[in-house]
């Protein structure tokens, strides 16, 4: 229920910003309305200051800024009206929202009762715990592979992956390193990080492309991204990508931006 309330309050905040912007814009909008009609293959614009004057004053090329301002005014008025309706609906829903929804009942039960029932939705803490405790076999390391360990004593393949892993851990974001994923027509692949987005209980993948100045590596990276997209995994949605070259190494600020953008 808290998630629903959070989403509604976030939308309410967004709408309030839009409302303020449009009210400021309309305060300086010109008087009158815009009439648009076609004349052959051209569109013509007319300024109407009097509702009884259907035709209005013709706006030529030199008056195009007036037509644009009037069109923007009409658009802003419609947006403001829609925003007002949605804000009222959100407030009405929030006012009527019960303190406890069906999924919350389990958390209010006595511990002894919890052991006897199957909840509609597994509690968040238990869901995260179960997700993290899954046992799996990651990709093996070559004997001459560089040795890098994270703060959680996990072996990874580069200093950049140490940076990503440690930052995820610091932010309390659950992840698996090189968790196997079987993609139809491709076989088993090992994303660098498989991450649990706790808010929606969905998995997000993070690939760090660390040698983009190597042409052969870059070609494989492009092929890998295409492979992900063929299976419904898209950059900016459920796939996070970071890149680096020898000249432009990955830095902590970049990692933090990605986490704030996609996982918070």
């Amino acid at each position: 229920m808290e998630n629903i309330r959070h989403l509604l309050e976030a939308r309410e905040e967004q709408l309030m910003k839009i409302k303020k912007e449009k009210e400021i814009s309309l305060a300086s909008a010109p008087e009158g309305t815009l009439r648009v009609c076609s004349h052959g293959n051209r569109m013509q614009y007319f300024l109407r200051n009097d509702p009884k004057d259907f035709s209005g004053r013709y706006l030529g090329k030199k008056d195009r800024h007036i037509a644009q301002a009037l069109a923007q005014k009409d658009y802003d008025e419609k947006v403001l009206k829609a925003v007002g309706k949605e804000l009222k609906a959100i407030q009405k829903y929030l006012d009527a929202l019960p303190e406890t929804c069906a999924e919350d009942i389990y958390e209010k039960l006595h511990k002894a009762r919890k052991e006897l029932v199957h909840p509609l939705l597994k509690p968040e803490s238990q869901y995260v715990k179960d997700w993290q405790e899954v046992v799996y076999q990651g990709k093996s390391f070559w004997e001459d592979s560089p040795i890098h360990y994270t703060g959680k004593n996990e072996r990874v393949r580069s200093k950049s992956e140490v940076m990503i892993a440690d930052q995820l851990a610091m932010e309390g974001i659950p992840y698996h390193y090189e968790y196997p994923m079987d993609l139809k027509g491709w076989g088993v692949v090992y994303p660098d990080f498989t991450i649990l987005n706790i808010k929606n209980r969905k998995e997000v993948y993070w690939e760090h492309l660390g040698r983009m100045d190597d042409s052969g590596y870059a070609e494989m990276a492009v092929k890998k991204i295409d492979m992900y997209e063929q299976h419904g995994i898209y950059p900016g949605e459920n796939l996070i990508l970071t890149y680096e070259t020898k000249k432009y190494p990955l830095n902590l600020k970049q990692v933090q931006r990605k986490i704030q953008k996609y996982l918070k």
Side-chain angles (χ1 to χ4, degrees), residues 160 208-213 217 242-246:
S160 293
H208 177 62
L209 308 175
R211 293 187 286 121
M212 293 303 285
D213 44 359
Y217 179 94
T242 45
Y243 313 84
E244 70 177 311
T245 65
K246 289 181 180 179

Side-chain angles (χ1 to χ4, degrees), residues 61-79:
K61 288 184 179 180
K62 64 181 179 61
D63 295 321
R64 186 171 179 81
H65 65 287
I66 298 176
Q68 290 175 328
L70 290 170
Q72 185 67 49
K73 174 187 173 182
D74 179 65
Y75 170 76
D76 289 348
E77 287 175 341
K78 290 176 179 176
V79 167

